[in-house]
Amino acid sequence: MIRRPILLLVNPAAGRKPGSPRLADDPARLEPDALVRALRDRGLEVELHTLREADDPGALARRAVEEGRDVVVGGGDGTVATVAAALVGEDAALGVIPLGTFNNQATSYGLPLALDPALDVIGRGVVGLVDAGWTYHEDRAEGRFFFEAGGVGLDALGFLAVEVAERRGWWRAAGLVWRGLRRRKTPIEVTLDGEVRRTRTPAVTVCNCPYLGLGFALAPESDPTDGIFSVVLFSGMTRVEVVRHFLSVARHRPRREPRVTLRQAKSVTVRGLRQALPAHADGEANGLTPVTFEVRPGALRVFR
């Protein structure tokens, strides 16, 4: 098999949060130059780019596609998702060296979370197809890809609070969450593959993968290769109970909650009937409802 050359994108800031797993016992093996040597030892032609704050990983990945390269990411979920969005529908394959804190995509795709096995997967060059999500508001062409999950309501508010905390501090974020918890429930209309239902659920989460965000195991049986979303509805739960459930399933810990309803659909549209609600895609703010989520089966090639 003739292998395409590889662009290796390494995020040196990945995995610096407290509690991040250790991919290798020797930290020196995770340095960018060491990763290049390890991939070259497996017979691959590799060009290294160590990411700086001003870099756009998606633009670098698109350039690699034009040059006939596959792309390997040494980083966490944010970097992996940005590169994956650039590779959807392309012949180029994505490789993952999981250097992040939660590594939701790597875990969901069944990739190893130890250094040598992860490198071996890339070295073997076996490619599998995984699904991507596409979300938009009014114009289907004006949307964005996501890979873990999208959500509406309290789900989106929690991720928005993290964004606010990073920009303006945790006190501002706490105030945002408090106001959200005090807000009265609003009826939501959820359309699942054309079937319309109304609910007063505080949150709707559309899962492409079993894990999202801070390792939340909301839909642990979700399969990113089956061409269908797992849609999570929190029936009969208060906002505080929903928050408690999110915390209980953090760091990939599944938990049975009978009031959490799972539905499957290829297309999901969510509307707030009395007011617009915040939406997110892979933890990033995605405007207000109405919002639609559609699955793109087998749209991304991944070394597996």
Side-chain angles (χ1 to χ4, degrees):
M1 180 176 62
I2 299 176
R3 293 293 300 273
R4 294 158 59 103
I6 283 175
L7 172 65
L8 172 62
L9 299 175
V10 178
N11 181 0
R16 300 296 176 89
K17 297 177 182 177
S20 296
R22 297 182 66 180
L23 191 65
D25 292 333
D26 182 0
R29 298 190 63 207
L30 303 179
E31 292 296 321
D33 289 340
L35 296 176
V36 171
R37 290 194 296 271
L39 289 172
R40 287 175 177 167
D41 287 345
R42 288 162 171 80
L44 302 176
E45 178 185 336
V46 183
E47 175 185 325
L48 169 66
H49 185 103
T50 302
L51 294 169
R52 300 177 294 273
E53 188 173 351
D55 284 335
D56 179 350
L60 293 168
R62 287 188 290 273
R63 186 182 309 157
V65 170
E66 294 172 357
E67 296 171 348
R69 300 177 184 271
D70 293 322
V71 184
V72 173
V73 176
D77 291 314
T79 310
V80 171
T82 301
V83 171
L87 300 185
V88 167
E90 302 289 352
D91 290 335
L94 170 69
V96 181
I97 303 173
L99 300 179
T101 302
F102 299 104
N103 300 308
N104 293 323
Q105 282 183 256
T107 305
S108 297
Y109 298 160
L111 303 180
L113 299 181
L115 180 58
D116 285 317
L119 294 169
D120 289 341
V121 166
I122 298 166
R124 286 195 296 270
V126 177
V127 173
L129 301 180
V130 301
D131 304 335
W134 178 253
T135 180
Y136 62 93
H137 293 277
E138 295 182 359
D139 186 346
R140 177 176 288 166
E142 297 294 328
R144 58 186 289 188
F145 288 108
F146 67 96
F147 300 91
E148 297 176 27
V152 169
L154 189 60
D155 179 355
L157 185 65
F159 289 108
L160 179 60
V162 174
E163 289 186 24
V164 171
E166 291 177 347
R167 296 196 310 265
R168 305 179 66 183
W170 282 105
W171 280 112
R172 297 270 186 164
L176 175 66
V177 172
W178 176 247
R179 291 192 297 274
L181 291 174
R182 295 185 63 190
R183 184 181 300 166
R184 293 181 60 185
K185 286 185 181 179
T186 183
I188 295 176
E189 181 183 274
V190 183
T191 304
L192 305 170
D193 290 341
E195 177 190 343
V196 180
R197 61 179 296 174
R198 293 188 176 185
T199 176
R200 297 183 73 87
T201 179
V204 178
T205 307
V206 180
C207 298
N208 185 52
C209 286
Y211 310 109
L212 67 145
L214 306 181
F216 299 129
L218 279 187
E221 296 181 0
S222 181
D223 183 350
T225 68
D226 63 2
I228 198 164
F229 291 134
S230 295
V231 185
V232 184
L233 304 174
F234 300 86
S235 305
M237 297 175 69
T238 67
R239 287 178 170 81
V240 172
E241 288 171 332
V242 171
V243 171
R244 286 175 178 166
H245 183 70
F246 268 86
L247 295 176
S248 71
V249 297
R251 292 192 174 273
H252 304 164
R253 299 190 301 262
R255 177 176 178 268
R256 173 72 176 160
E257 166 54 68
R259 293 172 295 177
V260 173
T261 303
L262 289 178
R263 299 286 300 273
Q264 289 191 315
K266 297 179 180 179
S267 175
V268 183
T269 299
V270 184
R271 303 175 184 274
L273 295 180
R274 292 181 183 168
Q275 63 186 39
L277 299 170
H280 83 87
D282 279 349
E284 296 185 1
N286 187 34
L288 301 173
T289 56
V291 62
T292 296
F293 306 92
E294 293 181 348
V295 69
R296 300 284 178 89
L300 177 67
R301 294 165 54 84
V302 177
F303 291 125
R304 301 183 69 193

